[in-house]
Amino acid sequence: MRVLLAVVLLLAAAGGAYAYIQSEPNWYVHAENYDLDPALLAAVIYRESKFDASAKSSSGAIGLMQLLPDTAKGIALHTGGSQFEVEDLWDPEINVRYGAFYLRRLLNKYGDVRLALAAYNAGQANVDEWLADDEGIVFPETRQYVDEVLHARDVYADTYADELGLD
């Protein structure tokens, strides 16, 4: 029953993703610009904010991709932005662009989707420490996060292959 509930919730969220794809058609361009699997990008957005552009976490992460202001400021500097304002993160286009850039950097750094997602969730310092100690993903909540994102990616890839250009 729990698995069925999870599938129903993911499909409902997938419907939200579809509405977002239709209402903001440029968001998936960032997946293409940063050579990301669009289903993976949608899955991260779903897991981070459930496609709620006004989401804010207790740790201060903002927007669709739940970016911390300090992380976003670094991304802005790396992508040519010189006048970054925290309020910029409330703009879905900027938030997804920065989040896609950051996810691509993590994928390049770690060369592994699971490790990149773990770093997106738990921070690069933690993943670097786990690798140095020859350990897997230590935090149970981060392992769960990675599994949930990968499961959502598979659901999006199967459900929206045409819309995401995956056919």
PDB file of all heavy atoms in Angstrom, residues 148-163:
ATOM      1  N   GLU A 148      15.096   8.577  -3.878  1.00  0.00           N
ATOM      2  CA  GLU A 148      13.840   9.225  -4.275  1.00  0.00           C
ATOM      3  C   GLU A 148      14.002  10.018  -5.565  1.00  0.00           C
ATOM      4  O   GLU A 148      13.121   9.998  -6.429  1.00  0.00           O
ATOM      5  CB  GLU A 148      13.333  10.122  -3.152  1.00  0.00           C
ATOM      6  CG  GLU A 148      12.808   9.350  -1.961  1.00  0.00           C
ATOM      7  CD  GLU A 148      12.435  10.222  -0.783  1.00  0.00           C
ATOM      8  OE1 GLU A 148      12.595  11.467  -0.853  1.00  0.00           O
ATOM      9  OE2 GLU A 148      11.983   9.664   0.235  1.00  0.00           O
ATOM     10  N   VAL A 149      15.111  10.731  -5.707  1.00  0.00           N
ATOM     11  CA  VAL A 149      15.343  11.491  -6.940  1.00  0.00           C
ATOM     12  C   VAL A 149      15.472  10.540  -8.129  1.00  0.00           C
ATOM     13  O   VAL A 149      14.864  10.774  -9.182  1.00  0.00           O
ATOM     14  CB  VAL A 149      16.588  12.398  -6.827  1.00  0.00           C
ATOM     15  CG1 VAL A 149      16.959  12.989  -8.184  1.00  0.00           C
ATOM     16  CG2 VAL A 149      16.361  13.515  -5.817  1.00  0.00           C
ATOM     17  N   LEU A 150      16.221   9.472  -7.963  1.00  0.00           N
ATOM     18  CA  LEU A 150      16.397   8.539  -9.076  1.00  0.00           C
ATOM     19  C   LEU A 150      15.086   7.837  -9.440  1.00  0.00           C
ATOM     20  O   LEU A 150      14.810   7.609 -10.620  1.00  0.00           O
ATOM     21  CB  LEU A 150      17.499   7.526  -8.754  1.00  0.00           C
ATOM     22  CG  LEU A 150      18.901   8.136  -8.666  1.00  0.00           C
ATOM     23  CD1 LEU A 150      19.913   7.084  -8.241  1.00  0.00           C
ATOM     24  CD2 LEU A 150      19.308   8.807  -9.966  1.00  0.00           C
ATOM     25  N   HIS A 151      14.283   7.534  -8.449  1.00  0.00           N
ATOM     26  CA  HIS A 151      12.973   6.940  -8.726  1.00  0.00           C
ATOM     27  C   HIS A 151      12.087   7.949  -9.477  1.00  0.00           C
ATOM     28  O   HIS A 151      11.441   7.589 -10.473  1.00  0.00           O
ATOM     29  CB  HIS A 151      12.301   6.495  -7.422  1.00  0.00           C
ATOM     30  CG  HIS A 151      10.943   5.915  -7.642  1.00  0.00           C
ATOM     31  ND1 HIS A 151      10.741   4.696  -8.243  1.00  0.00           N
ATOM     32  CD2 HIS A 151       9.714   6.410  -7.371  1.00  0.00           C
ATOM     33  CE1 HIS A 151       9.451   4.452  -8.332  1.00  0.00           C
ATOM     34  NE2 HIS A 151       8.798   5.479  -7.810  1.00  0.00           N
ATOM     35  N   ALA A 152      12.064   9.184  -9.013  1.00  0.00           N
ATOM     36  CA  ALA A 152      11.273  10.222  -9.694  1.00  0.00           C
ATOM     37  C   ALA A 152      11.779  10.431 -11.117  1.00  0.00           C
ATOM     38  O   ALA A 152      10.986  10.605 -12.043  1.00  0.00           O
ATOM     39  CB  ALA A 152      11.311  11.526  -8.900  1.00  0.00           C
ATOM     40  N   ARG A 153      13.099  10.397 -11.298  1.00  0.00           N
ATOM     41  CA  ARG A 153      13.659  10.526 -12.659  1.00  0.00           C
ATOM     42  C   ARG A 153      13.100   9.441 -13.566  1.00  0.00           C
ATOM     43  O   ARG A 153      12.703   9.717 -14.700  1.00  0.00           O
ATOM     44  CB  ARG A 153      15.181  10.434 -12.614  1.00  0.00           C
ATOM     45  CG  ARG A 153      15.810  10.497 -14.017  1.00  0.00           C
ATOM     46  CD  ARG A 153      17.190   9.940 -14.092  1.00  0.00           C
ATOM     47  NE  ARG A 153      17.188   8.530 -13.700  1.00  0.00           N
ATOM     48  CZ  ARG A 153      18.279   7.848 -13.440  1.00  0.00           C
ATOM     49  NH1 ARG A 153      19.462   8.412 -13.495  1.00  0.00           N
ATOM     50  NH2 ARG A 153      18.200   6.577 -13.102  1.00  0.00           N
ATOM     51  N   ASP A 154      13.056   8.221 -13.064  1.00  0.00           N
ATOM     52  CA  ASP A 154      12.539   7.124 -13.878  1.00  0.00           C
ATOM     53  C   ASP A 154      11.062   7.323 -14.206  1.00  0.00           C
ATOM     54  O   ASP A 154      10.624   7.049 -15.327  1.00  0.00           O
ATOM     55  CB  ASP A 154      12.752   5.788 -13.164  1.00  0.00           C
ATOM     56  CG  ASP A 154      14.230   5.414 -13.053  1.00  0.00           C
ATOM     57  OD1 ASP A 154      15.068   6.022 -13.770  1.00  0.00           O
ATOM     58  OD2 ASP A 154      14.543   4.526 -12.239  1.00  0.00           O
ATOM     59  N   VAL A 155      10.287   7.796 -13.233  1.00  0.00           N
ATOM     60  CA  VAL A 155       8.863   8.048 -13.459  1.00  0.00           C
ATOM     61  C   VAL A 155       8.695   9.131 -14.516  1.00  0.00           C
ATOM     62  O   VAL A 155       7.896   8.979 -15.453  1.00  0.00           O
ATOM     63  CB  VAL A 155       8.145   8.438 -12.145  1.00  0.00           C
ATOM     64  CG1 VAL A 155       6.732   8.950 -12.422  1.00  0.00           C
ATOM     65  CG2 VAL A 155       8.107   7.259 -11.182  1.00  0.00           C
ATOM     66  N   TYR A 156       9.445  10.235 -14.398  1.00  0.00           N
ATOM     67  CA  TYR A 156       9.340  11.307 -15.389  1.00  0.00           C
ATOM     68  C   TYR A 156       9.775  10.832 -16.765  1.00  0.00           C
ATOM     69  O   TYR A 156       9.147  11.162 -17.763  1.00  0.00           O
ATOM     70  CB  TYR A 156      10.169  12.525 -14.969  1.00  0.00           C
ATOM     71  CG  TYR A 156       9.552  13.312 -13.855  1.00  0.00           C
ATOM     72  CD1 TYR A 156      10.264  13.585 -12.696  1.00  0.00           C
ATOM     73  CD2 TYR A 156       8.253  13.788 -13.943  1.00  0.00           C
ATOM     74  CE1 TYR A 156       9.699  14.305 -11.661  1.00  0.00           C
ATOM     75  CE2 TYR A 156       7.675  14.502 -12.920  1.00  0.00           C
ATOM     76  CZ  TYR A 156       8.401  14.759 -11.779  1.00  0.00           C
ATOM     77  OH  TYR A 156       7.840  15.467 -10.764  1.00  0.00           O
ATOM     78  N   ALA A 157      10.856  10.064 -16.815  1.00  0.00           N
ATOM     79  CA  ALA A 157      11.355   9.579 -18.102  1.00  0.00           C
ATOM     80  C   ALA A 157      10.322   8.691 -18.783  1.00  0.00           C
ATOM     81  O   ALA A 157      10.123   8.785 -20.006  1.00  0.00           O
ATOM     82  CB  ALA A 157      12.666   8.829 -17.910  1.00  0.00           C
ATOM     83  N   ASP A 158       9.650   7.845 -18.008  1.00  0.00           N
ATOM     84  CA  ASP A 158       8.634   6.960 -18.580  1.00  0.00           C
ATOM     85  C   ASP A 158       7.360   7.715 -18.945  1.00  0.00           C
ATOM     86  O   ASP A 158       6.780   7.490 -20.001  1.00  0.00           O
ATOM     87  CB  ASP A 158       8.273   5.843 -17.587  1.00  0.00           C
ATOM     88  CG  ASP A 158       9.397   4.832 -17.431  1.00  0.00           C
ATOM     89  OD1 ASP A 158      10.307   4.796 -18.281  1.00  0.00           O
ATOM     90  OD2 ASP A 158       9.358   4.065 -16.441  1.00  0.00           O
ATOM     91  N   THR A 159       6.931   8.604 -18.071  1.00  0.00           N
ATOM     92  CA  THR A 159       5.648   9.275 -18.245  1.00  0.00           C
ATOM     93  C   THR A 159       5.705  10.401 -19.280  1.00  0.00           C
ATOM     94  O   THR A 159       4.754  10.598 -20.030  1.00  0.00           O
ATOM     95  CB  THR A 159       5.164   9.845 -16.896  1.00  0.00           C
ATOM     96  OG1 THR A 159       5.163   8.796 -15.928  1.00  0.00           O
ATOM     97  CG2 THR A 159       3.764  10.434 -17.009  1.00  0.00           C
ATOM     98  N   TYR A 160       6.803  11.137 -19.322  1.00  0.00           N
ATOM     99  CA  TYR A 160       6.893  12.330 -20.167  1.00  0.00           C
ATOM    100  C   TYR A 160       8.027  12.254 -21.183  1.00  0.00           C
ATOM    101  O   TYR A 160       8.636  13.268 -21.514  1.00  0.00           O
ATOM    102  CB  TYR A 160       7.057  13.578 -19.286  1.00  0.00           C
ATOM    103  CG  TYR A 160       5.841  13.797 -18.423  1.00  0.00           C
ATOM    104  CD1 TYR A 160       5.880  13.527 -17.067  1.00  0.00           C
ATOM    105  CD2 TYR A 160       4.647  14.240 -18.985  1.00  0.00           C
ATOM    106  CE1 TYR A 160       4.751  13.698 -16.278  1.00  0.00           C
ATOM    107  CE2 TYR A 160       3.521  14.404 -18.207  1.00  0.00           C
ATOM    108  CZ  TYR A 160       3.586  14.138 -16.854  1.00  0.00           C
ATOM    109  OH  TYR A 160       2.465  14.298 -16.090  1.00  0.00           O
ATOM    110  N   ALA A 161       8.278  11.064 -21.704  1.00  0.00           N
ATOM    111  CA  ALA A 161       9.361  10.898 -22.663  1.00  0.00           C
ATOM    112  C   ALA A 161       9.218  11.857 -23.847  1.00  0.00           C
ATOM    113  O   ALA A 161      10.195  12.474 -24.267  1.00  0.00           O
ATOM    114  CB  ALA A 161       9.430   9.447 -23.144  1.00  0.00           C
ATOM    115  N   ASP A 162       8.011  11.984 -24.397  1.00  0.00           N
ATOM    116  CA  ASP A 162       7.805  12.872 -25.557  1.00  0.00           C
ATOM    117  C   ASP A 162       8.043  14.329 -25.194  1.00  0.00           C
ATOM    118  O   ASP A 162       8.752  15.047 -25.895  1.00  0.00           O
ATOM    119  CB  ASP A 162       6.390  12.706 -26.123  1.00  0.00           C
ATOM    120  CG  ASP A 162       6.169  11.348 -26.776  1.00  0.00           C
ATOM    121  OD1 ASP A 162       7.174  10.713 -27.152  1.00  0.00           O
ATOM    122  OD2 ASP A 162       5.005  10.954 -26.888  1.00  0.00           O
ATOM    123  N   GLU A 163       7.439  14.775 -24.079  1.00  0.00           N
ATOM    124  CA  GLU A 163       7.544  16.175 -23.667  1.00  0.00           C
ATOM    125  C   GLU A 163       8.968  16.561 -23.300  1.00  0.00           C
ATOM    126  O   GLU A 163       9.387  17.700 -23.480  1.00  0.00           O
ATOM    127  CB  GLU A 163       6.625  16.461 -22.480  1.00  0.00           C
ATOM    128  CG  GLU A 163       5.144  16.412 -22.814  1.00  0.00           C
ATOM    129  CD  GLU A 163       4.556  15.002 -22.754  1.00  0.00           C
ATOM    130  OE1 GLU A 163       5.334  14.011 -22.649  1.00  0.00           O
ATOM    131  OE2 GLU A 163       3.340  14.886 -22.818  1.00  0.00           O
TER     132      GLU A 163
END
